[in-house]
Amino acid sequence: MRTVVLLASLLLAQVRIPAAQPPVAEPGPVLVISEDGLGADEFRPDTMPRMWALAEAGRRGAVLPPFPATTFNGHVTLATGCWPEHHGVVANAYVEPSDHHLVRAASRVEDIQREPLWVAATRSGVRTAVYHWVGATGPWQGVSPWRMQAFRLGHPDTEGMAWCESALADGAKLVMAYLSGTDEEGHLHGPGSAEVKAKLKQLDDELAPWLTRLRAEHPGLRVLLTADHGMAPMRHRISLPEVLEGLPVELITHGGSAYVYLQRPADAPRAAARLRKAGLTVWPRAEVPARYHLGGSARVGDLVVLAPEGTWLSQARTAREAATERHGRAGAHAYVPEVAAMRAWLVVLGDGRGPLADVPAWDVAPTVAQWLGIRWGQAPDGHAVGTLLEPSR
């Protein structure tokens, strides 16, 4: 009997009873805010001191926009994690190749060809709320987020902030909101103008105390603040109708770049030669540099035109159209991401501290998805930012 007891004791001694594992903490909510047109070069201690102080305790960097750096494709890139040639919103406007009709404002859910983050989140069981974001106008492939407010003119940012706060209070795990930023002031008065500085102060006074309070009310809240593009001051104008006079084309100008749709493909060499003579960079669609991830979409013009920084491209054909364009061209964007003025601000709160390298816009959504365990129906082009996946310190 003694031998049996001894053997049993030895066997029990060899059995390793696993230690009790602490429960896996559910990730805190995430708030993504876009301030339209707020460039990385505009966010400084002298322009937004309260937000700068918050960023000093978080992470600060810049987002590189897609080309052309415009509002609609910028926001859809941020939301899908995909390149413009894949998500299909290749600029604020484009010509739809299937029936050759002009899409004047590519801000509808119908324009988006890849899954937005709010759809992937909803399919993954993450309660999601979206306010005024480009493309959040209805169901995408039959899926709508838990709460959604499509864009409406005339609603102040404070209303959007209250909407986000209510969604978080009601249990949203992901909240995405588009706010006005400095885009209008930059277009009308130019970056660096008194009007832009006044708007930056207003944003600083509104955002900093609000975010401080939200973070106290929602432990574990991560906040990502960014924008679709920056803004550059304009000094010159080039009229594309004058440059291409006599050639039957459809023009869509974005500011510092443009799409030329040819009615006669044989006109391409002549049109390109004239544009280059005017001092512009020109690529046939298939020859757009691969780093811009643009030329693979048939929605892009037959010719893609890029102006030097500080020059904006006009499509006006009458004096009245020209006057309308000039009214909003003290500042412009739509250049390539290498132009420093196009870089958008980036602040991350609640995920460690320290500087961030420049982040391509298509890496934003994959990062948020990784934070919240969101599963994509189709893997996006971008990748989660490794620095933002490290343990907080």
Side-chain angles (χ1 to χ4, degrees):
M1 177 64 71
R2 184 178 178 182
T3 302
V4 172
V5 172
L6 182 60
L7 286 172
S9 299
L10 290 171
L11 288 171
L12 286 172
Q14 294 177 20
V15 175
R16 294 183 178 180
I17 300 174
Q21 296 296 317
V24 177
E26 184 179 354
V30 174
L31 173 64
V32 179
I33 298 285
S34 173
E35 293 281 359
D36 194 345
L38 206 162
D41 57 353
E42 293 180 315
F43 178 51
R44 305 188 305 270
D46 60 312
T47 58
M48 300 182 74
R50 301 173 79 175
M51 280 303 308
W52 189 269
L54 285 182
E56 288 285 271
R59 297 188 184 276
R60 187 178 69 251
V63 161
L64 299 175
F67 171 60
T70 61
T71 297
F72 293 169
N73 67 329
H75 279 97
V76 175
T77 300
L78 289 168
T80 62
C82 292
W83 305 324
E85 64 184 353
H86 287 164
H87 65 58
V89 179
V90 295
N92 284 355
Y94 60 84
V95 172
E96 173 55 49
S98 62
D99 58 8
H100 304 289
H101 81 276
L102 173 62
V103 177
R104 296 183 182 278
S107 58
R108 309 164 304 161
V109 68
E110 294 86 357
D111 300 310
I112 301 177
Q113 297 175 326
R114 290 287 287 270
E115 181 181 37
L117 179 62
W118 58 82
V119 171
T122 301
R123 286 177 171 160
S124 300
V126 175
R127 180 175 284 192
T128 300
V130 188
Y131 179 85
H132 280 202
W133 203 278
V134 174
T137 60
W140 190 87
Q141 294 190 358
V143 179
S144 293
W146 165 69
R147 189 174 289 178
M148 179 171 62
Q149 177 62 64
F151 180 81
R152 298 175 296 170
L153 284 170
H155 292 262
D157 285 353
T158 50
E159 181 178 309
M161 294 161 65
W163 193 96
C164 294
E165 186 169 351
S166 175
L168 286 169
D170 290 344
K173 286 297 185 181
L174 171 61
V175 179
M176 300 173 63
Y178 163 92
L179 300 178
S180 64
T182 56
D183 187 71
E184 181 177 1
E185 293 80 8
H187 277 301
L188 293 176
H189 307 287
S193 64
E195 290 81 2
V196 166
K197 291 177 181 177
K199 185 61 180 292
L200 289 168
K201 182 180 185 306
Q202 176 187 332
L203 296 176
D204 196 46
D205 291 342
E206 291 175 352
L207 284 173
W210 179 64
L211 291 173
T212 299
R213 180 165 53 80
L214 284 185
R215 294 181 66 206
E217 293 173 357
H218 300 278
L221 175 68
R222 300 187 202 194
V223 180
L224 191 153
L225 302 112
T226 187
D228 45 354
H229 57 74
M231 188 80 65
M234 294 297 102
R235 297 178 295 274
H236 306 291
R237 167 184 177 270
I238 292 178
S239 169
L240 293 188
E242 292 178 8
V243 173
L244 298 174
E245 185 178 3
L247 297 179
V249 297
E250 179 84 49
L251 298 172
I252 297 180
T253 59
H254 323 303
S257 58
Y259 292 155
V260 179
Y261 298 87
L262 302 165
Q263 292 185 22
R264 300 184 306 224
D267 288 335
R270 187 157 48 138
R274 290 191 193 180
L275 292 162
R276 292 185 179 114
K277 187 176 180 180
L280 304 172
T281 300
V282 185
W283 300 288
R285 182 196 306 130
E287 297 177 17
V288 175
R291 65 183 178 276
Y292 299 136
H293 304 291
L294 186 67
S297 173
R299 290 175 170 178
V300 172
D302 299 298
L303 299 177
V304 177
V305 185
L306 174 66
E309 182 181 356
T311 296
W312 58 277
L313 302 176
S314 171
Q315 67 186 52
R317 297 182 184 273
T318 67
R320 183 174 180 178
E321 289 176 353
T324 300
E325 277 190 345
R326 286 181 185 277
H327 178 65
R329 285 293 180 267
H333 42 90
Y335 297 99
V336 291
E338 292 91 337
V339 172
M342 296 298 98
R343 296 160 72 246
W345 77 321
L346 175 62
V347 174
V348 180
L349 306 175
D351 196 89
R353 181 174 183 174
L356 290 169
D358 288 349
V359 174
W362 43 77
D363 286 350
V364 169
T367 301
V368 175
Q370 192 81 2
W371 282 343
L372 291 170
I374 293 168
R375 301 177 302 278
W376 296 94
Q378 180 179 356
D381 299 313
H383 302 280
V385 178
T387 308
L388 294 177
L389 302 180
E390 298 171 358
S392 297
R393 57 182 186 273

